[in-house]
Amino acid sequence: MAEIQLKNVSKRWGSFVGVDNFDMTIADREFLVLLGPSGCGKTTTMRMIAGLEEATDGDIVIGGRVVNDLDPKDRDIAMVFQSYGLYPNMNVYENIRFPLKVRKVDPATHDERVMRAADMVELREFLHRKPAELSGGQRQRVALARAIVREPNVFLMDEPLSNLDAKLRVSTRAQIKNLQHELKVTTIYVTHDQIEAMTLADRVVVMKRGVIQQVGTPTEIYDRPANTFVAGFIGSPAMNLMEGTLSGGTFSGDHVSISGLSGPDGPVTLGFRAEDAAVAETGPQAEITAPVYTMELLGDATMITVKAGGALVSVKASKDYRIEIDEPVGLNIPAEICHLFNQKTGARIDV
């Protein structure tokens, strides 16, 4: 069993706080993604779990054992980094086998374990090659196989796909998801890419400046963001956010008026997803009327963006919809798909 508990874990360097009071339990066999922009503390959190950074405060518990004072090699974890870290003078077989030699695992078991790991990442035909003869995607798969062969209790993955091109990222992402399902190993995955987080995770931890903003399933975080930071970070495109005033159930702002909302009167930030709104005829029936700022053809849809006051607002239209830049367009924003946030704190307003 490899349940991981982080009990009020913090990391400080002098007056700088890298991670502030990180407190949560990661279930056995769970795939948890730490998500946030650069400098938010996600990699520092992972490095503390690995033992590569010492926690300033708090306890790290793996499988019921406090590991704060244990060396990385004694924590029964395997790490996959953004840089592949392969030995250039060894072929793929020896790179995968290397952790077994270092840990003095019975040599009689090496071949079977290397072959099993190589098969899981579809590398058997490349075992004789040196890293220099492999593509970026193949090298990343060698790094994955080298972690798998250890048969650890915990996988830690630090932005393992960021060096790959877009097509390889999609295929390798699917491979990682399938591997975790097969191996049933607790996995913590660090990324700044919200699409990776949404597609891979059982749960996502969104971080900002060392502080947890929200923890939940990808669906929970997408459908009910806890604040404007999460709303503006999750989604492609991110949630539209507009500042205005709520009075008697009607939101009013630059170029926008939406009725039928519930919430306290006063200044608020209104949010809605591009796919939940619709292009409409201009006129009084449209909640937003503004000139087109840009039109993007996505293949399965057309993204229309308008500039309403100081905000850029995007809406998905049908794939054959066409309109010229600067032409006025109306947007329908049903009240039931809107989110309201406190304009001062950014926190979600639930009514």
Side-chain angles (χ1 to χ4, degrees), residues 17-38:
V17 180
V19 176
D20 189 16
N21 199 36
F22 194 109
D23 191 79
M24 72 174 298
T25 297
I26 302 156
D28 181 38
R29 302 183 180 184
E30 182 174 17
F31 197 125
L32 185 89
V33 173
L34 303 179
L35 174 69
S38 296

PDB file of all heavy atoms in Angstrom, residues 17-38:
ATOM      1  N   VAL A  17       8.600  31.941   0.526  1.00  0.00           N
ATOM      2  CA  VAL A  17       7.804  30.728   0.774  1.00  0.00           C
ATOM      3  C   VAL A  17       7.566  30.015  -0.555  1.00  0.00           C
ATOM      4  O   VAL A  17       6.877  30.526  -1.436  1.00  0.00           O
ATOM      5  CB  VAL A  17       6.452  31.079   1.442  1.00  0.00           C
ATOM      6  CG1 VAL A  17       5.643  29.808   1.682  1.00  0.00           C
ATOM      7  CG2 VAL A  17       6.685  31.822   2.743  1.00  0.00           C
ATOM      8  N   GLY A  18       8.145  28.824  -0.710  1.00  0.00           N
ATOM      9  CA  GLY A  18       7.963  28.054  -1.940  1.00  0.00           C
ATOM     10  C   GLY A  18       6.693  27.229  -1.917  1.00  0.00           C
ATOM     11  O   GLY A  18       5.967  27.145  -2.905  1.00  0.00           O
ATOM     12  N   VAL A  19       6.423  26.595  -0.767  1.00  0.00           N
ATOM     13  CA  VAL A  19       5.197  25.813  -0.563  1.00  0.00           C
ATOM     14  C   VAL A  19       4.670  26.165   0.819  1.00  0.00           C
ATOM     15  O   VAL A  19       5.427  26.161   1.801  1.00  0.00           O
ATOM     16  CB  VAL A  19       5.465  24.293  -0.660  1.00  0.00           C
ATOM     17  CG1 VAL A  19       4.205  23.489  -0.355  1.00  0.00           C
ATOM     18  CG2 VAL A  19       5.997  23.927  -2.041  1.00  0.00           C
ATOM     19  N   ASP A  20       3.386  26.481   0.907  1.00  0.00           N
ATOM     20  CA  ASP A  20       2.808  26.974   2.153  1.00  0.00           C
ATOM     21  C   ASP A  20       1.705  26.055   2.646  1.00  0.00           C
ATOM     22  O   ASP A  20       0.624  25.982   2.065  1.00  0.00           O
ATOM     23  CB  ASP A  20       2.256  28.394   1.933  1.00  0.00           C
ATOM     24  CG  ASP A  20       1.831  29.057   3.235  1.00  0.00           C
ATOM     25  OD1 ASP A  20       2.237  28.568   4.308  1.00  0.00           O
ATOM     26  OD2 ASP A  20       1.100  30.056   3.175  1.00  0.00           O
ATOM     27  N   ASN A  21       2.019  25.280   3.702  1.00  0.00           N
ATOM     28  CA  ASN A  21       1.000  24.508   4.415  1.00  0.00           C
ATOM     29  C   ASN A  21       0.230  23.558   3.496  1.00  0.00           C
ATOM     30  O   ASN A  21      -1.004  23.548   3.462  1.00  0.00           O
ATOM     31  CB  ASN A  21       0.030  25.454   5.134  1.00  0.00           C
ATOM     32  CG  ASN A  21      -0.741  24.757   6.245  1.00  0.00           C
ATOM     33  OD1 ASN A  21      -0.201  23.898   6.933  1.00  0.00           O
ATOM     34  ND2 ASN A  21      -2.002  25.116   6.406  1.00  0.00           N
ATOM     35  N   PHE A  22       0.954  22.749   2.745  1.00  0.00           N
ATOM     36  CA  PHE A  22       0.353  21.769   1.829  1.00  0.00           C
ATOM     37  C   PHE A  22      -0.146  20.601   2.671  1.00  0.00           C
ATOM     38  O   PHE A  22       0.626  19.911   3.325  1.00  0.00           O
ATOM     39  CB  PHE A  22       1.414  21.301   0.821  1.00  0.00           C
ATOM     40  CG  PHE A  22       0.859  20.572  -0.363  1.00  0.00           C
ATOM     41  CD1 PHE A  22       0.863  21.153  -1.626  1.00  0.00           C
ATOM     42  CD2 PHE A  22       0.348  19.289  -0.241  1.00  0.00           C
ATOM     43  CE1 PHE A  22       0.362  20.476  -2.728  1.00  0.00           C
ATOM     44  CE2 PHE A  22      -0.158  18.609  -1.334  1.00  0.00           C
ATOM     45  CZ  PHE A  22      -0.148  19.213  -2.579  1.00  0.00           C
ATOM     46  N   ASP A  23      -1.458  20.375   2.652  1.00  0.00           N
ATOM     47  CA  ASP A  23      -2.063  19.380   3.537  1.00  0.00           C
ATOM     48  C   ASP A  23      -3.084  18.557   2.760  1.00  0.00           C
ATOM     49  O   ASP A  23      -4.148  19.063   2.407  1.00  0.00           O
ATOM     50  CB  ASP A  23      -2.739  20.074   4.731  1.00  0.00           C
ATOM     51  CG  ASP A  23      -3.149  19.094   5.816  1.00  0.00           C
ATOM     52  OD1 ASP A  23      -2.274  18.681   6.592  1.00  0.00           O
ATOM     53  OD2 ASP A  23      -4.340  18.728   5.868  1.00  0.00           O
ATOM     54  N   MET A  24      -2.762  17.298   2.490  1.00  0.00           N
ATOM     55  CA  MET A  24      -3.716  16.425   1.805  1.00  0.00           C
ATOM     56  C   MET A  24      -3.235  14.983   1.848  1.00  0.00           C
ATOM     57  O   MET A  24      -2.065  14.698   2.153  1.00  0.00           O
ATOM     58  CB  MET A  24      -3.939  16.863   0.361  1.00  0.00           C
ATOM     59  CG  MET A  24      -2.781  16.610  -0.575  1.00  0.00           C
ATOM     60  SD  MET A  24      -3.212  17.014  -2.293  1.00  0.00           S
ATOM     61  CE  MET A  24      -4.553  15.862  -2.600  1.00  0.00           C
ATOM     62  N   THR A  25      -4.151  14.078   1.531  1.00  0.00           N
ATOM     63  CA  THR A  25      -3.831  12.651   1.448  1.00  0.00           C
ATOM     64  C   THR A  25      -4.027  12.178   0.015  1.00  0.00           C
ATOM     65  O   THR A  25      -5.054  12.457  -0.608  1.00  0.00           O
ATOM     66  CB  THR A  25      -4.737  11.833   2.390  1.00  0.00           C
ATOM     67  OG1 THR A  25      -4.493  12.232   3.741  1.00  0.00           O
ATOM     68  CG2 THR A  25      -4.459  10.341   2.250  1.00  0.00           C
ATOM     69  N   ILE A  26      -3.028  11.472  -0.505  1.00  0.00           N
ATOM     70  CA  ILE A  26      -3.079  10.906  -1.858  1.00  0.00           C
ATOM     71  C   ILE A  26      -3.334   9.417  -1.702  1.00  0.00           C
ATOM     72  O   ILE A  26      -2.543   8.705  -1.068  1.00  0.00           O
ATOM     73  CB  ILE A  26      -1.755  11.171  -2.604  1.00  0.00           C
ATOM     74  CG1 ILE A  26      -1.487  12.683  -2.662  1.00  0.00           C
ATOM     75  CG2 ILE A  26      -1.801  10.580  -4.004  1.00  0.00           C
ATOM     76  CD1 ILE A  26      -0.031  13.048  -2.825  1.00  0.00           C
ATOM     77  N   ALA A  27      -4.442   8.957  -2.225  1.00  0.00           N
ATOM     78  CA  ALA A  27      -4.863   7.571  -2.002  1.00  0.00           C
ATOM     79  C   ALA A  27      -3.937   6.578  -2.701  1.00  0.00           C
ATOM     80  O   ALA A  27      -3.273   6.898  -3.691  1.00  0.00           O
ATOM     81  CB  ALA A  27      -6.298   7.379  -2.499  1.00  0.00           C
ATOM     82  N   ASP A  28      -3.894   5.375  -2.167  1.00  0.00           N
ATOM     83  CA  ASP A  28      -3.154   4.291  -2.802  1.00  0.00           C
ATOM     84  C   ASP A  28      -3.657   4.083  -4.234  1.00  0.00           C
ATOM     85  O   ASP A  28      -4.863   4.053  -4.477  1.00  0.00           O
ATOM     86  CB  ASP A  28      -3.359   3.005  -1.984  1.00  0.00           C
ATOM     87  CG  ASP A  28      -2.596   1.821  -2.550  1.00  0.00           C
ATOM     88  OD1 ASP A  28      -1.470   2.021  -3.025  1.00  0.00           O
ATOM     89  OD2 ASP A  28      -3.135   0.695  -2.503  1.00  0.00           O
ATOM     90  N   ARG A  29      -2.742   4.028  -5.184  1.00  0.00           N
ATOM     91  CA  ARG A  29      -3.003   3.800  -6.617  1.00  0.00           C
ATOM     92  C   ARG A  29      -3.631   5.001  -7.320  1.00  0.00           C
ATOM     93  O   ARG A  29      -4.027   4.913  -8.478  1.00  0.00           O
ATOM     94  CB  ARG A  29      -3.894   2.562  -6.835  1.00  0.00           C
ATOM     95  CG  ARG A  29      -3.313   1.281  -6.258  1.00  0.00           C
ATOM     96  CD  ARG A  29      -4.202   0.078  -6.563  1.00  0.00           C
ATOM     97  NE  ARG A  29      -3.644  -1.140  -5.997  1.00  0.00           N
ATOM     98  CZ  ARG A  29      -4.153  -2.346  -6.165  1.00  0.00           C
ATOM     99  NH1 ARG A  29      -5.268  -2.481  -6.894  1.00  0.00           N
ATOM    100  NH2 ARG A  29      -3.598  -3.409  -5.629  1.00  0.00           N
ATOM    101  N   GLU A  30      -3.736   6.125  -6.640  1.00  0.00           N
ATOM    102  CA  GLU A  30      -4.319   7.312  -7.253  1.00  0.00           C
ATOM    103  C   GLU A  30      -3.335   7.956  -8.231  1.00  0.00           C
ATOM    104  O   GLU A  30      -2.115   7.909  -8.038  1.00  0.00           O
ATOM    105  CB  GLU A  30      -4.706   8.327  -6.175  1.00  0.00           C
ATOM    106  CG  GLU A  30      -5.374   9.581  -6.725  1.00  0.00           C
ATOM    107  CD  GLU A  30      -5.897  10.521  -5.645  1.00  0.00           C
ATOM    108  OE1 GLU A  30      -5.483  10.378  -4.473  1.00  0.00           O
ATOM    109  OE2 GLU A  30      -6.716  11.389  -5.966  1.00  0.00           O
ATOM    110  N   PHE A  31      -3.874   8.574  -9.274  1.00  0.00           N
ATOM    111  CA  PHE A  31      -3.076   9.386 -10.201  1.00  0.00           C
ATOM    112  C   PHE A  31      -3.398  10.843  -9.891  1.00  0.00           C
ATOM    113  O   PHE A  31      -4.457  11.350 -10.241  1.00  0.00           O
ATOM    114  CB  PHE A  31      -3.433   9.056 -11.656  1.00  0.00           C
ATOM    115  CG  PHE A  31      -2.402   9.537 -12.659  1.00  0.00           C
ATOM    116  CD1 PHE A  31      -1.828   8.656 -13.570  1.00  0.00           C
ATOM    117  CD2 PHE A  31      -2.005  10.865 -12.705  1.00  0.00           C
ATOM    118  CE1 PHE A  31      -0.872   9.079 -14.488  1.00  0.00           C
ATOM    119  CE2 PHE A  31      -1.059  11.311 -13.617  1.00  0.00           C
ATOM    120  CZ  PHE A  31      -0.491  10.411 -14.510  1.00  0.00           C
ATOM    121  N   LEU A  32      -2.479  11.509  -9.197  1.00  0.00           N
ATOM    122  CA  LEU A  32      -2.679  12.893  -8.771  1.00  0.00           C
ATOM    123  C   LEU A  32      -1.802  13.808  -9.612  1.00  0.00           C
ATOM    124  O   LEU A  32      -0.614  13.546  -9.796  1.00  0.00           O
ATOM    125  CB  LEU A  32      -2.319  13.069  -7.302  1.00  0.00           C
ATOM    126  CG  LEU A  32      -2.605  14.466  -6.744  1.00  0.00           C
ATOM    127  CD1 LEU A  32      -4.034  14.522  -6.196  1.00  0.00           C
ATOM    128  CD2 LEU A  32      -1.611  14.853  -5.665  1.00  0.00           C
ATOM    129  N   VAL A  33      -2.381  14.883 -10.116  1.00  0.00           N
ATOM    130  CA  VAL A  33      -1.625  15.858 -10.904  1.00  0.00           C
ATOM    131  C   VAL A  33      -1.519  17.165 -10.130  1.00  0.00           C
ATOM    132  O   VAL A  33      -2.524  17.698  -9.657  1.00  0.00           O
ATOM    133  CB  VAL A  33      -2.283  16.111 -12.278  1.00  0.00           C
ATOM    134  CG1 VAL A  33      -1.586  17.258 -13.003  1.00  0.00           C
ATOM    135  CG2 VAL A  33      -2.222  14.850 -13.138  1.00  0.00           C
ATOM    136  N   LEU A  34      -0.266  17.657  -9.989  1.00  0.00           N
ATOM    137  CA  LEU A  34      -0.019  18.982  -9.435  1.00  0.00           C
ATOM    138  C   LEU A  34       0.078  19.947 -10.607  1.00  0.00           C
ATOM    139  O   LEU A  34       0.957  19.800 -11.466  1.00  0.00           O
ATOM    140  CB  LEU A  34       1.275  18.996  -8.623  1.00  0.00           C
ATOM    141  CG  LEU A  34       1.372  18.003  -7.459  1.00  0.00           C
ATOM    142  CD1 LEU A  34       2.723  18.124  -6.765  1.00  0.00           C
ATOM    143  CD2 LEU A  34       0.248  18.208  -6.459  1.00  0.00           C
ATOM    144  N   LEU A  35      -0.822  20.926 -10.650  1.00  0.00           N
ATOM    145  CA  LEU A  35      -0.954  21.803 -11.811  1.00  0.00           C
ATOM    146  C   LEU A  35      -0.824  23.260 -11.389  1.00  0.00           C
ATOM    147  O   LEU A  35      -1.366  23.675 -10.363  1.00  0.00           O
ATOM    148  CB  LEU A  35      -2.334  21.580 -12.453  1.00  0.00           C
ATOM    149  CG  LEU A  35      -2.743  22.504 -13.596  1.00  0.00           C
ATOM    150  CD1 LEU A  35      -1.899  22.251 -14.846  1.00  0.00           C
ATOM    151  CD2 LEU A  35      -4.219  22.333 -13.932  1.00  0.00           C
ATOM    152  N   GLY A  36      -0.116  24.025 -12.205  1.00  0.00           N
ATOM    153  CA  GLY A  36      -0.020  25.452 -11.949  1.00  0.00           C
ATOM    154  C   GLY A  36       1.058  26.078 -12.810  1.00  0.00           C
ATOM    155  O   GLY A  36       1.828  25.374 -13.482  1.00  0.00           O
ATOM    156  N   PRO A  37       1.140  27.405 -12.817  1.00  0.00           N
ATOM    157  CA  PRO A  37       2.159  28.081 -13.631  1.00  0.00           C
ATOM    158  C   PRO A  37       3.553  27.907 -13.032  1.00  0.00           C
ATOM    159  O   PRO A  37       3.702  27.419 -11.903  1.00  0.00           O
ATOM    160  CB  PRO A  37       1.717  29.554 -13.570  1.00  0.00           C
ATOM    161  CG  PRO A  37       0.967  29.669 -12.276  1.00  0.00           C
ATOM    162  CD  PRO A  37       0.294  28.346 -12.063  1.00  0.00           C
ATOM    163  N   SER A  38       4.566  28.303 -13.777  1.00  0.00           N
ATOM    164  CA  SER A  38       5.941  28.221 -13.280  1.00  0.00           C
ATOM    165  C   SER A  38       6.061  28.990 -11.971  1.00  0.00           C
ATOM    166  O   SER A  38       5.507  30.079 -11.822  1.00  0.00           O
ATOM    167  CB  SER A  38       6.913  28.809 -14.311  1.00  0.00           C
ATOM    168  OG  SER A  38       6.896  28.032 -15.481  1.00  0.00           O
TER     169      SER A  38
END
